[in-house]
Each structure stands twice: as C-alpha cells, then as structure tokens.
Amino acid sequence: MRTIFYIIQKEFIQIFRDKALLSLMIIAPFAQLVILIYAANLEMGNVNFAVVDYDKTQTSSKLVNLMSASPFYSLIDYENSIDEAQTLLTRGEVHLVVVIPKHFEQDLEESNSPKLQLLIDAVNGTTAFLVNNYSRYIIGDFNEDIVIQRYPEAENMGKINCTYSYWYNDLLDYKIFMFPGLLVILVSLVGLFIAALNFVKEKELGNITQINVTAIKKYQFIAGKLIPFWIIGIVEFVIGLFIGKFFFNMPFLGSFWTLLLYTSIYLICVLSLGLFLASISHSQQQVMFFTFFFFLTFIILSGIFTPIETMPSWVKYVNYLNPFAYLMKVIRMILLKGSSFYNIIPDTICLTAYSIMMFFIAVFSYKKIS
Amino acid sequence: MEREVVIEVKNLYKKFGNFVANDNLSFKVYKGEIYGFLGANGAGKTTAMKILCGISLPTSGEVTIAHLDFNKYREKIKLKIGYMSQKFSLYDDLTVKENFRFFGGIYRMSRAQIKEATVRLLESLDMMSLMDTIVGSLPVGWKQKLAFTIANMHSPEIVFLDEPTGGVDPLTRRRFWELIYQAANNGVTVFVTTHYMDEAEYCNRLCIMNDGKIIVENSPKELKTIYNASNMDEVFLKIVNRKHS
C-alpha cells in the first residue's frame, strides 16, 4: 500500500507541475461541454425554401403563404423554372423547393387528383426526413381546410383523434439528450488519453527502466498510475454535472450518489483500457493512434448521437465490450428518467466485472522484463 | 582467505533471433570489488547487465546474485541491487528531494529512513542547497552523482552502473569515480559497463567483450603487462585488432 502511495504522490506532483497539460485537462473538457451542448444539434433549424409556381393562382399563393408563415421555413425566392430552382439547391442556398404545377387550383376544384412536388436536399438524411414530414403536415392541413370548406359535413367523419405526450424530455430538447453524452466524453478523455500518454511518456524518457529494476509489484505500479487520474476524472465529472445542472438547467432526476458510484466503476474500466493500450505501445504516436481509434469507435457505437436501437443488431453485441456504452445508457437513465439503483443492477454487475477484468489485463500487459 | 562471490554467471546466452548478443558468458564477481565490462558499442555489455538486473531474460545459462538463484528469486534480488543507466533516469520534473523520497519509498524504506538518508547523502555530496531544485535544471555531471547516490540509497549489496558517465569530461568522470570508490570501501560491489578507457583503468578487474563474447578477464595492470601496452587504450586496440586480422 505504501508503495502505491509513493507513486500516486509522484504522479500528482508531476501533473500539477505541468501547467500546460493541467490547463488543457481542465479547460478542454469544459469548453467542449459548453460549446458542443449548443452545436451538437440534430433539430430542424431554419429551412430556406424556394417556390416554382407554374399555376400562379389564389390557391397556390395561399399554400405558399401558409408555408412561409411557419416559424421553421423562410421563403427565399420565387423561381421561374425548375432549372433555376435547382441551381439554388445545388449552391446550398435553399434546402427545399416546392414545385406547383399548372392547373393545380383547377385540379383541386375538379377533384382531379392535384399534384405537388417537393425537392429536398437530402445530404443530411435526418434533416431531409424532418423537412419532408413537416411539409406534408402543412400541406395536409391546407388540404383538409379545403375539403372541409367544400364538404362541411366531412369535418368529424371517421377521423381518429390521437393525443400524445412526450416523456422524459417533453419539449424534445436535443440538448437534454446530448448533455449526458457530452459528460461521458468529458470523463473518458481524461481516462483514455491523459493516462495513456502519461504512461508512454515515462517509457519514452526511460524512467520506466529505473522502475523495472526495483522490486515493485506490477499491480502496485498500475494502481499507482490509475488512481490519480481516477480522482481527477471523478472531480471533472462532478464539476461537469454541476455546470449542466446550474448553468444549463439540465434535468437531474435520479440519485447523485448512484451515478457517482457507477461512474467511479466506469472510470476504472476506461483508465485500465488506456493503461493497457499504453503498455503495448512504444511511442506517444502509437498510443495516440490506438486510443483515438478506440475512443472514436466506442463513442459512436455507444449511441451518443443516435440511439443504439437504430443501429444494426450486431452493435448490441459489440457494446457488451464497449465501456462507453455502459455509462452512456445508465447516465441517461439516471439523469433523464430518474432510474434508481435497482434499475441499473444488471449494468452495474456487468460493468464491475468488466472493470476488474480490464484492470488485470492492464496489469498483465505491463512487462517488467523485456 | 576465500573471497565471497556475489555475482556468478555460468554459460549465459542471449539470442535475439539469429543474433547472439551474449555468447557463453561465465564470470564471477567478488564482494566489494569494482568489476568492469569494457567493450565497443554493440559488444553485448548492456544486454548482459540488463539480464543481471532482472529486466531481461537470458536465453539460457545460470545466474546467481547475492546468493540467490536468478530464476527463482528475481524480484527478491531486485531489493538487494541498485541500478543507474546511461540514460539518466531520475525524474527531471521532480525536485532533488522528491526524487529521493520517491525512490526511497519504492525501495520500501520508512519515512524516517528516507528523511535521514536524504539529508546525510546530500550533505556528503555538498548539495544540501539543491534540495528543492528541479532535477532537470542541474548540469549533467551533478545529475549523474545524484543518480548514483539514489541508486545506493537503500544500501544495496551490488550497484549496476550502465555507462554511468556518458557525455561528461574526464575531470567530472574522475570526481564521479571518487563516489564509486567510497561505495566500494563500504563493501558495496560495483558492476560497471563502459567504453571509456580512463574509466576502465579505475576498475579492480576488467572483462573485455567483443561480438558478445568475453575475450579476456583480468586486472588492468595484468592486462597491460600481458599485452605489453602502456595504457588500456593500447590493450583494447591490440585485442580488437587481433580479432579482426
């Protein structure tokens, strides 16, 4: 135990003496949290659209007015032909072109199946999908009004009235979905990168040889390397939570202590992974590449931006080995749904087993003998 | 009187693939002796030393250090030896005192022992005023003295020095060797690798290596007589040239 203490003491002195790394370690994660919480946004923002109106009737202009009245849509221009509108689409000035064909009003009045065309920029599929649905919703409203005007008795005929309420995030605020994910990134950065780099640096400078000629036990060395970053990770996590709660008013329904306990176990897992990668690397370049590979893969598969349910089914199995996925799932459960410790018992058991295993992998991969 | 053997190596081989770095080494080192490994770069000195320090495994052969069998008690042996390498190996971003404390702690010394040893050793080096100086800011020669002192801090039976005075002038080297003599007088066995001829002269016994093999083993004085040379430089050149002609 005393040996571990001497390593921890040494690490803390070194960490606090390296002012550049220290400020990076403090500023970078929080800057990321504050910036990304606004930027990582999948909501439909302001959609510019153009209209090609071949009909030029009262009905067609009424439809256009209805669309531009929406808070999400702004009408940029009327174009004379589809070709001209396409140029706007290609240049990215509009995301939607509404094409109203000739005889639109006439077809509508004569019940002659009137047609309408939407050209949507689908480079970003999610936005395109939202634009399509939202446009159809406006057009459907418009259509219904016309039908009811003509046949007032149709108003309540055979219409299902569906009510709904959104749970856990009633305003569908994407920030609320993203915030827990960003916290996961924040603690994992310290875990994976800083700890791994620290270990490899010791190898590159040759200090590790001086350690290897001593009778230090392998688990003592790994624990001594792990614990300082474990403490720093926990502190960063708590500060991140407070920033979210008090500056961004993020929901925090579950128990703070349950979340803290779970995150502490999680940190052992990522830190061990980082130290494992460091002990099989020979240079900072190698370890950067390794950690970056795992970081990127794990973070995306963990469902930070998109739900795991929409990914191919094999992802579910990969995620059994993805430490990020364990925290990503539970942090959202605790913060957003108020899940209690009983709800996360299976995850806690799995994560604990995984962390223990990862720690031993890190210990065994560290070679005192070359 | 029979002298006490502290390092005994028998038929040691170390191979990296087809390359034989240590080819059938056998030698004995006695207690309190300054024993030198002399050879050109790549002769296999450092490889052999790494094996003796327990950070590299031999391909075959027997090694006994401080009466302990290398294969069984590698970690136990590590408590009885000190090590200092050509690559200066204290922590550059820690102060002198912090380095003493850290290595003392790793070698399982008590807090009081560490404190006492730090003061005593720094006083003997006349470096008390440098206690809180960051090691990285010190001149190389001073760092080497500190590293040697720290390698001796836990009173090891044997200290291994791997090209300890690389990159410094002969005068600084001479001062460094005064420390080595002091340690040897106190009964510490010193095992040193070098390619400096003046350093070789300071050893009690020398083992000259070439291409992974021991060519000759004797005291510097005997070697000069045998090879009819006035200094170690000549001895070394005669041996290496004979080998290549």
Side-chain angles (χ1 to χ4, degrees):
Chain A
M1 243 359 251
R2 279 186 67 242
T3 311
I4 297 178
F5 165 79
Y6 280 106
I7 302 173
I8 295 172
Q9 184 186 40
K10 177 211 123 208
E11 294 299 334
F12 268 121
I13 292 174
Q14 288 180 311
I15 292 165
F16 284 103
R17 205 157 274 164
D18 189 346
K19 293 280 180 285
L21 182 69
L22 187 68
S23 46
L24 203 69
M25 233 156 61
I26 296 170
I27 296 167
F30 295 119
Q32 235 174 5
L33 184 68
V34 173
I35 294 167
L36 289 184
I37 209 168
Y38 286 112
N41 193 336
L42 282 186
E43 284 167 37
M44 190 176 71
N46 185 44
V47 176
N48 291 331
F49 77 106
V51 173
V52 186
D53 188 354
Y54 289 117
D55 197 37
K56 296 197 171 69
T57 56
Q58 234 184 345
T59 314
S60 71
S61 64
K62 205 170 146 195
L63 173 64
V64 174
N65 284 342
L66 197 65
M67 290 187 82
S68 45
S70 148
F72 298 113
Y73 284 5
S74 350
L75 178 61
I76 292 292
D77 212 354
Y78 279 96
E79 296 298 328
N80 292 324
S81 71
I82 293 189
D83 285 344
E84 283 172 43
Q86 252 173 4
T87 317
L88 285 182
L89 211 55
T90 313
R91 279 193 298 199
E93 286 169 31
V94 298
H95 279 90
L96 167 70
V97 176
V98 183
V99 186
I100 306 172
K102 252 192 160 74
H103 313 306
F104 177 66
E105 190 185 65
Q106 198 185 336
D107 284 348
L108 202 58
E109 272 164 13
E110 293 171 1
S111 303
N112 208 359
S113 50
K115 290 186 174 63
L116 200 63
Q117 190 184 33
L118 303 176
L119 307 175
I120 303 166
D121 175 353
V123 169
N124 181 338
T126 315
T127 319
F129 180 75
L130 287 171
V131 169
N132 183 22
N133 274 351
Y134 189 66
S135 306
R136 281 159 172 273
Y137 177 74
I138 298 177
I139 296 161
D141 252 15
F142 169 77
N143 200 352
E144 203 175 310
D145 280 351
I146 291 173
V147 172
I148 290 167
Q149 244 173 38
R150 208 167 313 156
Y151 311 103
E153 68 276 15
E155 188 166 359
N156 294 314
M157 247 167 55
K159 243 181 90 183
I160 296 174
N161 200 353
C162 182
T163 67
Y164 58 88
S165 76
Y166 290 118
W167 277 43
Y168 309 124
N169 183 358
D170 52 357
L171 295 175
L172 299 186
D173 186 350
Y174 197 71
K175 280 205 280 294
I176 289 177
F177 177 71
M178 275 314 291
F179 169 70
L182 292 174
L183 273 182
V184 175
I185 292 190
L186 189 143
V187 287
S188 310
L189 261 183
V190 180
L192 262 179
F193 285 85
I194 312 270
L197 277 175
N198 171 288
F199 188 1
V200 172
K201 193 175 140 204
E202 197 139 335
K203 270 192 189 174
E204 279 192 337
L205 292 176
N207 293 123
I208 198 84
T209 315
Q210 196 69 45
I211 299 283
N212 290 345
V213 294
T214 71
I216 193 169
K217 303 256 191 312
K218 291 206 276 184
Y219 79 87
Q220 291 174 328
F221 182 74
I222 295 293
K225 279 272 173 210
L226 190 146
I227 292 170
F229 295 102
W230 184 69
I231 294 172
I232 291 172
I234 291 175
V235 170
E236 292 211 336
F237 182 71
V238 172
I239 298 175
L241 268 181
F242 274 83
I243 290 180
K245 170 97 180 124
F246 295 111
F247 288 84
F248 295 103
N249 212 11
M250 290 292 126
F252 195 150
L253 304 180
S255 150
F256 171 75
W257 297 109
T258 308
L259 184 57
L260 197 64
L261 174 76
Y262 192 84
T263 308
S264 316
I265 301 171
Y266 163 79
L267 269 170
I268 295 177
C269 194
V270 245
L271 283 164
S272 302
L273 174 66
L275 292 174
F276 161 68
L277 294 176
S279 63
I280 59 171
S281 307
H282 299 287
S283 65
Q284 302 203 28
Q285 268 174 333
Q286 264 180 22
V287 83
M288 275 305 269
F289 182 79
F290 274 144
T291 44
F292 196 73
F293 170 80
F294 279 103
F295 188 80
L296 212 62
T297 315
F298 278 166
I299 208 86
I300 288 173
L301 290 184
S302 74
I304 182 171
F305 299 118
T306 45
I308 296 169
E309 290 75 20
T310 62
M311 298 181 198
S313 56
W314 54 263
V315 173
K316 205 172 76 188
Y317 300 103
V318 173
N319 273 343
Y320 283 122
L321 289 176
N322 178 357
F324 292 37
Y326 284 94
L327 184 59
M328 198 66 80
K329 177 181 165 200
V330 165
I331 194 174
R332 281 184 179 141
M333 283 172 75
I334 294 178
L335 289 181
L336 309 186
K337 295 188 187 178
S339 303
S340 72
F341 182 68
Y342 293 102
N343 302 125
I344 61 159
I345 285 177
D347 302 271
T348 312
I349 293 171
C350 286
L351 184 65
T352 307
Y354 193 19
S355 299
I356 294 170
M357 189 184 83
M358 208 62 230
F359 179 76
F360 281 105
I361 290 177
V363 170
F364 286 121
S365 65
Y366 161 47
K367 297 262 178 287
K368 281 181 80 181
I369 290 187
S370 57
Chain B
M1 198 183 86
E2 183 77 359
R3 293 173 71 192
E4 187 187 341
V5 177
V6 287
I7 300 175
E8 183 162 15
V9 173
K10 274 186 204 159
N11 312 110
L12 180 78
Y13 283 92
K14 176 73 182 184
K15 294 173 186 164
F16 298 102
N18 285 327
F19 176 70
V20 185
N22 287 155
D23 191 349
N24 198 12
L25 306 186
S26 297
F27 57 90
K28 284 178 186 172
V29 180
Y30 300 100
K31 186 173 164 59
E33 188 175 33
I34 302 174
Y35 189 86
F37 254 28
L38 179 67
N41 290 326
K45 302 168 301 201
T46 299
T47 310
M49 178 171 277
K50 279 189 170 163
I51 292 171
L52 298 181
C53 293
I55 51 174
S56 177
L57 282 179
T59 309
S60 67
E62 282 172 48
V63 180
T64 311
I65 291 168
H67 311 293
L68 294 170
D69 179 6
F70 178 84
N71 287 321
K72 277 191 211 147
Y73 302 107
R74 202 174 306 120
E75 294 299 302
K76 228 176 189 167
I77 290 172
K78 285 180 176 177
L79 281 173
K80 301 188 171 210
I81 62 170
Y83 171 82
M84 174 195 167
S85 83
Q86 55 187 341
K87 223 175 163 185
F88 170 74
S89 45
L90 299 185
Y91 286 95
D92 262 345
D93 50 354
L94 295 184
T95 65
V96 172
K97 189 168 88 185
E98 286 159 355
N99 267 294
F100 271 95
R101 186 174 62 196
F102 176 69
F103 284 106
I106 296 293
Y107 277 109
R108 304 182 194 173
M109 293 167 73
S110 75
R111 200 167 289 273
Q113 280 175 323
I114 293 173
K115 268 212 174 104
E116 183 274 326
T118 306
V119 172
R120 174 171 47 81
L121 293 170
L122 281 179
E123 260 170 1
S124 73
L125 287 175
D126 205 14
M127 287 189 185
M128 272 305 272
S129 57
L130 300 177
M131 188 92 109
D132 295 311
T133 311
I134 298 281
V135 164
S137 65
L138 296 173
V140 184
W142 296 17
K143 284 184 185 177
Q144 288 171 344
K145 280 183 169 186
L146 274 173
F148 178 78
T149 309
I150 287 178
N152 276 290
M153 188 183 176
H154 59 290
S155 319
E157 290 179 28
I158 308 156
V159 229
F160 291 91
L161 310 175
D162 188 9
E163 298 182 5
T165 59
V168 299
D169 56 275
L171 186 65
T172 313
R173 211 138 63 213
R174 175 72 237 178
R175 294 222 179 92
F176 184 84
W177 272 81
E178 283 165 12
L179 289 178
I180 296 182
Y181 279 121
Q182 252 175 45
N185 283 338
N186 293 330
V188 178
T189 309
V190 180
F191 186 106
V192 56
T193 67
T194 184
H195 54 244
Y196 291 116
M197 297 307 153
D198 57 333
E199 214 163 48
E201 300 258 14
Y202 301 143
C203 296
N204 299 137
R205 270 195 315 141
L206 266 181
C207 179
I208 299 184
M209 281 188 79
N210 199 17
D211 289 337
K213 291 189 189 70
I214 294 179
I215 305 298
V216 65
E217 188 202 37
N218 217 321
S219 71
K221 201 178 152 200
E222 291 286 322
L223 285 172
K224 279 184 275 190
T225 320
I226 294 168
Y227 288 94
N228 190 22
S230 60
N231 57 37
M232 281 310 299
D233 220 8
E234 276 178 45
V235 173
F236 187 70
L237 287 175
K238 277 184 178 167
I239 289 172
V240 176
N241 285 338
R242 184 189 298 168
K243 184 87 185 126
H244 287 287
S245 58

